[in-house]
Amino acid sequence: MNLTKKQPFILNFFRSIKDFDYYKDVSNEKNSKTILYFIILIIMYSLIVTIGIVYEVNQTVKEVKETINTEISSLEYADGILKINNDEYTSIFNNYVIIDTSKENNDEYEEKSGVVIGKQYCSIKMDEHILKFSYNNYLSENINKNDLINILDNNTTQYYILISAMIFIMSLIALACSTIIDTLVISLIGVIIARIIGNNYLKFSNIYKIAVHAVTLPILLSMIYYIINIVSGFSIKYFSIMYTSIATIYIVTAILLITMDSYKNNENNNKEI
């Protein structure tokens, strides 16, 4: 196959999954082509992650609004003081959120719950740390229950475009960095395998090109798994191990095939001589 001709990304994508012979050409393709393939692959992955997170944010907003309507009978904030449900103790989201605006201090709840909403501040438990946020530092206007519901209802298209752009950029950077690390690790494994089987002509750059294409199926499976996880909550405990294992199998298989072809060509050349 002649790789000097431009081919659609989708064709290269599926070849990277089902055609091990394709890796013989991949190892010698131009650096620019490998970089372009990597960039498009990460952009596609980032788009799926962005759509998933925005979907979760939208569902969370709906859930919060429903909870406010059903669990919060009254809410008033003025001059740095919050009053909810006439200062009665309230627990929601399976005790993850505790509301008690009757006390000046809610330290007794902070180890038992993830979020504690109090009279003058709220606290959020992050691992071993508890972060406290005073309302005076963030709220300057008086707010009631209807105001809060209106804020949640007024999630405009512009708001979702802004949050989508932010999530996409962060996902793109995070996924690019993690995938570069993955491909470098897989490439090092490939170099070791190549030297063990006596293949000394495949350079690290050739093997890295193979590694970039070898993560295609793991990334596709990651996107599918991510969508299923969001929709159904289904999770696989050791999915990251499977991701690395599949990519390693691809790169080892590709190196073995390239080495075998090289031996065959050398044998044929020797016979002709």
Side-chain angles (χ1 to χ4, degrees):
M1 183 176 62
N2 187 0
L3 288 182
T4 59
K5 296 180 180 179
K6 290 185 177 181
Q7 297 184 29
F9 167 81
I10 193 67
L11 178 61
N12 295 331
F13 181 86
F14 285 110
R15 282 183 180 273
S16 297
I17 294 174
K18 65 185 184 69
D19 187 1
F20 280 105
D21 287 331
Y22 174 63
Y23 284 87
K24 301 171 188 176
D25 299 307
V26 163
S27 64
N28 294 313
E29 71 181 5
K30 292 181 179 178
N31 292 334
S32 58
K33 185 168 184 178
T34 303
I35 293 170
L36 180 61
Y37 182 85
F38 179 84
I39 290 172
I40 297 175
L41 193 64
I42 297 302
I43 288 174
M44 184 173 65
Y45 195 0
S46 300
L47 283 173
I48 295 297
V49 171
T50 301
I51 292 169
I53 294 176
V54 171
Y55 171 80
E56 286 185 309
V57 169
N58 185 55
Q59 293 300 110
T60 301
V61 169
K62 289 180 180 178
E63 187 176 351
V64 169
K65 189 171 69 173
E66 183 179 348
T67 300
I68 291 173
N69 282 322
T70 56
E71 301 290 340
I72 307 297
S73 58
S74 62
L75 184 151
E76 295 288 339
Y77 171 79
D79 301 323
I81 304 299
L82 180 66
K83 290 176 64 69
I84 298 177
N85 291 349
N86 297 318
D87 291 336
E88 294 179 359
Y89 174 91
T90 306
S91 174
I92 56 178
F93 299 126
N94 294 322
N95 211 42
Y96 182 78
V97 177
I98 291 177
I99 302 171
D100 191 344
T101 56
S102 65
K103 304 174 182 179
E104 298 292 333
N105 192 306
N106 285 332
D107 289 349
E108 61 183 288
Y109 304 131
E110 290 173 356
E111 292 296 332
K112 304 175 183 178
S113 183
V115 178
V116 179
I117 300 175
K119 183 178 183 178
Q120 295 179 308
Y121 70 91
C122 71
S123 62
I124 301 175
K125 187 177 181 182
M126 304 281 289
D127 296 326
E128 299 299 322
H129 304 284
I130 296 175
L131 307 178
K132 296 185 179 183
F133 302 91
S134 175
Y135 305 134
N136 265 332
N137 295 332
Y138 301 95
L139 298 174
S140 57
E141 298 180 0
N142 296 344
I143 297 175
N144 57 36
K145 178 180 176 179
N146 289 333
D147 293 331
L148 187 57
I149 292 174
N150 288 334
I151 290 172
L152 294 174
D153 282 335
N154 291 331
N155 288 321
T156 61
T157 302
Q158 185 177 1
Y159 166 82
Y160 279 106
I161 291 174
L162 178 61
I163 193 173
S164 297
M166 292 173 60
I167 293 170
F168 176 75
I169 292 171
M170 290 187 291
S171 299
L172 191 66
I173 294 171
L175 291 173
C177 291
S178 63
T179 307
I180 287 173
I181 293 172
D182 290 338
T183 50
L184 286 172
V185 171
I186 296 166
S187 296
L188 288 174
I189 294 173
V191 170
I192 294 170
I193 296 298
R195 300 303 175 259
I196 289 174
I197 63 176
N199 187 327
N200 297 313
Y201 58 85
L202 273 179
K203 298 179 182 178
F204 180 83
S205 59
N206 302 118
I207 294 175
Y208 187 78
K209 292 172 185 177
I210 296 173
V212 169
H213 288 265
V215 297
T216 302
L217 180 59
I219 285 178
L220 175 62
L221 293 176
S222 295
M223 291 189 290
I224 295 171
Y225 169 65
Y226 183 71
I227 293 170
I228 293 173
N229 178 259
I230 289 175
V231 174
S232 66
F234 173 78
S235 62
I236 301 174
K237 190 174 182 179
Y238 299 108
F239 184 82
S240 59
I241 296 176
M242 183 178 71
Y243 177 104
T244 306
S245 300
I246 293 173
T248 302
I249 291 170
Y250 263 79
I251 196 168
V252 170
T253 304
I255 290 172
L256 288 172
L257 288 175
I258 291 171
T259 304
M260 289 172 61
D261 276 3
S262 176
Y263 287 156
K264 288 179 181 178
N265 290 333
N266 289 335
E267 288 177 1
N268 292 333
N269 291 334
N270 290 333
K271 287 179 181 178
E272 290 177 2
I273 293 172

